[in-house]
Amino acid sequence: MAWVLYNDNYRKNDDVHLSIHERICRYGDGLFETMMCDNDTIKYYDYHWQRLHEGMVYFGFKPNASFTQNNVYEKVMQLIAKNTLQGIKTKIRLRVWRNGEGLYSPLENSISYLIECVPCTIPKSMINIGVSQCVQLAHTPYSKYKTCNSLPYIAAAVEKSNRNLDDLIITDNQGNISEAIASNIFWVKDGMVFTPSLQAGCIAGVMRRAVTERLKSSHIIVLEQMTNIEVLYGAEIVFLTNISGISYVAMLDHTRYNINLIIPYENILMNI
């Protein structure tokens, strides 16, 4: 039985019991971060904390004094040790939610949190994808954060399974490319790299940020764009990124990509 961290206390996962009145259960009133620990270091932890902190400020969450960037990092590393996962690539899921009862209007803004860790599953390096036919996203001031209401992504994942694909691209309600089910998307054309603007409703992914920085440091132009799906059929390379890694697209619908063209970018993004 695995250990988890619940409100500063280490517990066995079966010993954590949430009330049916918890706001995360009733309304999805929470945020989460999925992080990766590799070589005993949480990758891009500063980026994760920045996004989480901004989301908590936006939604009015009030953490207690112990919920700080440094304290949480130390507790996560202790949790990894308690689960004997040192030296193993580990996925960490941190959930934060607002306490208290009430209806849509909260009666308080204090928080609870739960952290889990499990061995990481490496994503497929080459994938076949399509475009979602049943889900669209909309830009909001908070669409860049990872909220605990994930119904659009669940619906897209069901569609993906029914269509026997590895992933789906989701567009916004204007038909612009937004993101994949659990990844940001990039494409290459004429030596430049493109990714959707946050105005298309995609999450401001940590790996999206890291990949953009790595490419720019290699003197590659990276541009954010609002554009429709047609540009992908004329792209040279398409790839998806999340904190677990990078997957290159072999086929989008009936369009096949020349996988030999990924080699220069694969070399640049190696070990990111």
Side-chain angles (χ1 to χ4, degrees):
M1 190 184 304
W3 289 92
V4 299
L5 180 63
Y6 178 49
N7 288 342
D8 296 340
N9 298 306
Y10 296 100
R11 299 184 184 181
K12 294 292 189 177
N13 55 8
D14 285 352
D15 294 333
V16 175
H17 304 287
L18 300 184
S19 165
I20 61 171
H21 302 297
E22 293 278 1
R23 295 186 63 82
I24 193 172
C25 300
R26 284 189 167 182
Y27 306 115
D29 187 4
L31 298 162
F32 74 95
E33 290 289 329
T34 302
M35 301 177 284
M36 189 68 56
C37 184
D38 194 13
N39 294 321
D40 297 319
T41 301
I42 302 176
K43 297 177 67 174
Y44 307 113
Y45 181 72
D46 290 349
Y47 294 0
H48 283 289
W49 190 266
Q50 180 182 345
R51 182 173 62 182
L52 178 66
H53 177 73
E54 288 178 1
M56 291 174 66
V57 170
Y58 179 84
F59 286 107
F61 291 3
K62 303 296 183 185
N64 60 32
S66 68
F67 193 80
T68 66
Q69 182 172 351
N70 290 338
N71 284 348
V72 171
Y73 189 98
E74 291 175 5
K75 288 180 179 296
V76 170
M77 299 309 295
Q78 292 168 14
L79 180 65
I80 289 171
K82 288 183 74 68
N83 283 293
T84 62
L85 292 172
Q86 304 101 312
I88 298 172
K89 187 172 284 192
T90 303
K91 182 178 286 188
I92 304 146
R93 186 177 176 91
L94 164 61
R95 275 174 279 182
V96 180
W97 64 93
R98 195 189 323 258
N99 289 326
E101 299 187 10
L103 301 177
Y104 289 129
S105 297
L107 299 181
E108 61 177 286
N109 292 307
S110 66
I111 64 162
S112 288
Y113 76 92
L114 177 69
I115 303 176
E116 308 164 79
C117 58
V118 296
C120 176
T121 301
I122 305 301
K124 293 173 67 173
S125 59
M126 299 299 299
I127 57 175
N128 296 329
I129 67 174
V131 180
S132 177
Q133 299 168 355
C134 69
V135 178
Q136 291 183 320
L137 301 174
H139 172 259
T140 68
Y142 53 84
S143 53
K144 60 185 177 180
Y145 307 124
K146 302 189 81 168
T147 72
C148 290
N149 184 343
S150 301
L151 283 174
Y153 305 103
I154 293 168
V158 171
E159 180 188 354
K160 174 204 73 172
S161 298
N162 290 338
R163 293 171 59 184
N164 196 30
L165 293 168
D166 296 309
D167 213 323
L168 291 177
I169 296 171
I170 307 173
T171 61
D172 71 4
N173 49 17
Q174 303 298 316
N176 297 301
I177 304 164
S178 182
E179 59 189 344
I181 294 171
S183 306
N184 290 114
I185 183 168
F186 291 82
W187 63 96
V188 178
K189 180 71 174 177
D190 297 329
M192 294 185 290
V193 178
F194 300 88
T195 195
S197 164
L198 296 181
Q199 297 298 309
C202 61
I203 288 171
V206 163
M207 189 61 81
R208 173 184 184 270
R209 179 177 174 180
V211 165
T212 297
E213 290 175 354
R214 175 72 66 85
L215 291 170
K216 287 182 176 180
S217 71
S218 299
H219 309 292
I220 293 173
I221 297 172
V222 183
L223 300 174
E224 295 189 9
Q225 230 181 32
M226 295 282 284
T227 189
N228 63 39
I229 206 75
E230 296 299 321
V231 302
L232 296 183
Y233 300 122
E236 297 152 16
I237 305 168
V238 177
F239 59 95
L240 308 183
T241 68
N242 62 33
I243 200 62
S244 297
I246 299 174
S247 296
Y248 293 89
V249 177
M251 177 179 280
L252 166 60
D253 293 334
H254 299 295
T255 298
R256 289 186 179 275
Y257 298 98
N258 183 349
I259 61 174
N260 293 322
L261 296 178
I262 73 173
I263 295 172
Y265 297 92
E266 202 171 28
N267 290 338
I268 293 169
L269 297 174
M270 189 179 300
N271 300 320
I272 191 169

